[in-house]
Structures are given as structure tokens and as C-alpha cells.
Amino acid sequence: MSSSPERKVAVVTGAAGGMGKADVLALLDSGWNVAACDRDESRLKTFRSETEEWTDRIASYCLDVTSLKDVQEAVKDASRLGPVLGVVNNAGIGSAKRLFRDIPVADWREMFDVHVIGAVHCVLATLDGMEEVGFGRIVNVSSYCAEVGSVGFSHYCAAKAALIGYSMSLALEEAEAGVTVNVVAPGLVDTPMTAGDSDEIRAHELTKIPLRRYGRPEEVAATISFLLSDGAGYMTGRVLGVNGGMVCR
């Protein structure tokens, strides 16, 4: 068993969004330096202005995780802050509600490209360095709907479920190398993606949540931060639901 080096970097994708920014701040608080990646330049610009106090510990990159070359270049540059030993695959896209027959195949491909292939790219770009040190932390962000489904979002649920299967397999393959792989599956969280929900939709969704509220990005980030810590060194291949009780098992 190897403990984490004092100076280390975590790659966080979708870093300028609601949950992504909370992830970045939680990791900074726990001692990680961060390579913050997002494909939205304007959102990333706002993120940079809001995190100026951490400039010496954050490297930010405007990139699309579906490009392996872009991810590799960002990881190479971020290594100036320390060895890249953590990955939080948080990047994702949403969708309007559409029944299965109304979803074009192209939209299925995009869902899988961003959620699954994007996560694969980030791991491919960092895994050699983790194995060399004998320490690594990978957290893939799935969703509660990967386990229970959701009417009108079959392609999103399928992509998030694929992310779980990929994570379980990778956890088994990398265990002897000292690299842990886990999944966080949030429920409904107050983010820009859910901000547009009408009062009617929100009231309906709350009936499904035993805790009767949406989650906060910081609550998801706290779980992710724990999974990247030394304290989670004996946890791998697990799915942690941060969902207010929506999926109890």
C-alpha cells in the first residue's frame, strides 16, 4: 500500500459547472492541486475569476473530453503542479425529455462520447503516472437514474450505467497497482442543470426524495473528496449514492 505524495494533482472535468466547481474547492481544501477542465470558455472564464485566490494551485483548460489529444496535453501541462494522481470524471451533458423512439441515434452517440469515452480518455491520459507511483484515485460521476431508469432519458441513463460497468472492471484491473476506482451517483442536486425546473416539476420530484429536498453540490463534493483521500484507500469498485434516499439498498 502506498500513501499519497504530499504534492499531487487531480483532474476535474466539467469543473466550471455547479458540481464541478464544488469538487474543485473541496479538493483544494483537502490538499490537492487541480487541473480544472471545461469545454465552455465563458463559464471557465467566470470560474477563473471566482477562484483567483487559488491561482498557484489551479491550472485551467478549455477542452472537450471527447478529444484524447486535448486531454493528454492538459495532463502534461498540469504536471508542473505535481504528479497527476487523481481523476474526477464529472463532465456531462443533459437532454430534453424525449421518449426512446424520438431520440436520434446521433444523440445516443453524443451521450456515450461525453460520459463514457470522455472518462476513458481522462484515465488513459493519467493511468501510467498513477501506476508508476503506486497510488491513484479515480472517481466517475454517474447518476441515480443509472440504477432505476427515468422515463424520457433512456440514452442518458444508459450512458451513466455504462460508466458504472466500466468503473467496476477498471477497479479490478488496477487494484494491485494501488489505484482505486469508485463511482458517485448523485440524485437531484441544485445545479444550473436543474435550475430551470418549474415549480410543478420540482414539487413532483420532491415526492420521490425521502429527505424531501434537492442535494447541494457541496454534499456531492464532500463524498468525492473522501474517495480521493488516503482514508478511502480500502474502498474500490463501489457505487456511492448521494441521493437523499431515492435509491435505498
Side-chain angles (χ1 to χ4, degrees):
M1 179 182 71
S2 297
S3 60
S4 62
E6 288 186 15
R7 205 165 154 266
K8 56 192 181 300
V9 180
V11 173
V12 178
T13 65
M19 281 204 292
K21 182 184 172 186
D23 295 343
V24 170
L25 295 176
L27 291 174
L28 289 167
D29 274 345
S30 62
W32 288 81
N33 294 338
V34 178
C37 307
D38 202 286
R39 70 176 182 177
D40 188 324
E41 180 61 61
S42 62
R43 196 167 69 168
L44 196 58
K45 184 177 180 181
T46 301
F47 168 84
R48 290 182 184 122
S49 68
E50 293 174 344
T51 56
E52 285 183 345
E53 63 183 295
W54 302 100
T55 301
D56 60 332
R57 293 182 54 201
I58 296 178
S60 58
Y61 304 94
C62 184
L63 59 81
D64 190 325
V65 293
T66 63
S67 168
L68 176 58
K69 180 181 178 182
D70 287 356
V71 173
Q72 289 173 326
E73 289 177 352
V75 169
K76 182 178 180 180
D77 183 78
S79 63
R80 60 189 164 83
L81 297 176
V84 181
L85 301 177
V87 174
V88 179
N89 283 308
N90 173 71
I93 55 174
S95 170
K97 185 174 183 178
R98 290 170 295 174
L99 296 180
F100 167 73
R101 291 181 181 277
D102 298 323
I103 303 174
V105 172
D107 287 12
W108 279 82
R109 290 197 179 98
E110 184 181 26
M111 275 291 173
F112 275 76
D113 279 346
V114 173
H115 292 100
V116 183
I117 302 304
V120 168
H121 285 168
C122 290
V123 173
L124 285 173
T126 57
L127 196 55
D128 285 349
M130 295 180 189
E131 291 178 342
E132 184 177 340
V133 173
F135 176 93
R137 297 285 187 266
I138 298 168
V139 175
N140 293 320
V141 180
S142 181
S143 168
Y144 78 99
C145 71
E147 300 178 85
V148 299
S150 182
V151 174
F153 302 96
S154 57
H155 57 336
Y156 178 84
C157 297
K160 289 299 193 180
L163 199 55
I164 292 176
Y166 158 60
S167 302
M168 300 303 99
S169 299
L170 188 62
L172 294 173
E173 291 184 17
E174 293 300 321
E176 289 189 12
V179 178
T180 65
V181 187
N182 291 289
V183 177
V184 170
L188 293 169
V189 179
D190 276 318
T191 67
M193 190 177 291
T194 59
D197 289 353
S198 66
D199 291 342
E200 183 181 3
I201 290 175
R202 184 171 284 254
H204 174 70
E205 295 296 351
L206 287 174
T207 65
K208 305 176 186 177
I209 307 172
L211 288 181
R212 292 294 185 266
R213 67 174 177 86
Y214 280 31
R216 298 189 302 274
E218 294 76 15
E219 291 173 313
V220 180
T223 303
I224 290 173
S225 180
F226 167 68
L227 289 174
L228 266 72
S229 71
D230 285 353
Y234 201 52
M235 290 181 66
T236 195
R238 304 305 303 158
V239 179
L240 274 66
V242 187
N243 55 46
M246 292 180 79
V247 182
C248 290
R249 57 185 176 86

